[in-house]
Amino acid sequence: MYLPFDSLPEESKIWIYQSNRKFSDDEISQIDEDLKLFIDNWSAHGTPLNASYQLKYNRFIILAVNQENQIATGCSIDASVQFIQKLEQKYEVDLLDKMNVTFKLGEHIAHKSLIEFKKMAKEKAVSENTIVFNNLINTVGEFNEFWEVPAMDSWHNRFF
């Protein structure tokens, strides 16, 4: 069952999927419709999940579940991954590769492989102050506080 994202408790479980390219506005509109349908039908062992989503920067898909009433189980998590895989095929993007880094270069959102990001850090093309997206966070509270942070405040700090 869909809930507004900002109404979810801070302890709600979160999953972040980053695209290897920016989605067009038309693609975002279609993904938004697909997500609404998925969330409205997402359940765990027949019990609807109180869930939500956000689309950020035409590049990130964020799913969240309030686990106070029903915990997202293995089967329901598998269903969400299958949904994301369908989006990957439909839009010819990569959403599941965790070996990439997305970060801000001014107003631009950049997406690089981990190896390329390390090289950029070594060459000082990015710094400890570069804003990175920490997609390893687990809760809505962490998302609100620690998703967009300077590299020095995330797992990316090991490259500097």
Side-chain angles (χ1 to χ4, degrees), residues 46-60:
T47 302
L49 292 172
N50 292 329
S52 193
Y53 68 92
Q54 280 194 4
L55 296 167
K56 299 287 273 184
Y57 300 110
N58 285 36
R59 189 177 285 270
F60 296 93

Side-chain angles (χ1 to χ4, degrees), residues 17-34:
Y17 302 97
Q18 67 185 5
S19 174
N20 60 325
R21 68 166 175 83
K22 186 176 179 180
F23 291 111
S24 71
D25 289 341
D26 288 341
E27 288 173 326
I28 286 291
S29 293
Q30 184 60 52
I31 292 168
D32 188 55
E33 288 178 28
D34 291 344

Side-chain angles (χ1 to χ4, degrees), residues 7-104:
S7 73
L8 294 172
E10 289 198 345
E11 303 79 33
S12 297
K13 178 72 177 135
I14 197 167
W15 296 268
I16 300 172
Y17 302 97
Q18 67 185 5
S19 174
N20 60 325
R21 68 166 175 83
K22 186 176 179 180
F23 291 111
S24 71
D25 289 341
D26 288 341
E27 288 173 326
I28 286 291
S29 293
Q30 184 60 52
I31 292 168
D32 188 55
E33 288 178 28
D34 291 344
L35 279 162
K36 284 178 186 169
L37 185 61
F38 174 75
I39 294 290
D40 280 339
N41 293 293
W42 199 13
S43 65
H45 300 293
T47 302
L49 292 172
N50 292 329
S52 193
Y53 68 92
Q54 280 194 4
L55 296 167
K56 299 287 273 184
Y57 300 110
N58 285 36
R59 189 177 285 270
F60 296 93
I61 298 172
I62 299 117
L63 299 178
V65 174
N66 176 353
Q67 299 196 104
E68 290 176 352
N69 299 326
Q70 176 61 49
I71 293 175
T73 61
C75 292
S76 60
I77 294 168
D78 287 349
S80 68
V81 171
Q82 289 171 359
F83 171 77
I84 294 296
Q85 288 172 327
K86 287 178 184 172
L87 292 178
E88 283 185 317
Q89 292 171 353
K90 184 175 182 178
Y91 297 102
E92 299 178 356
V93 295
D94 186 358
L95 295 165
L96 293 168
D97 187 351
K98 302 292 186 194
M99 296 303 291
N100 295 307
V101 178
T102 306
F103 55 98
K104 289 185 176 180

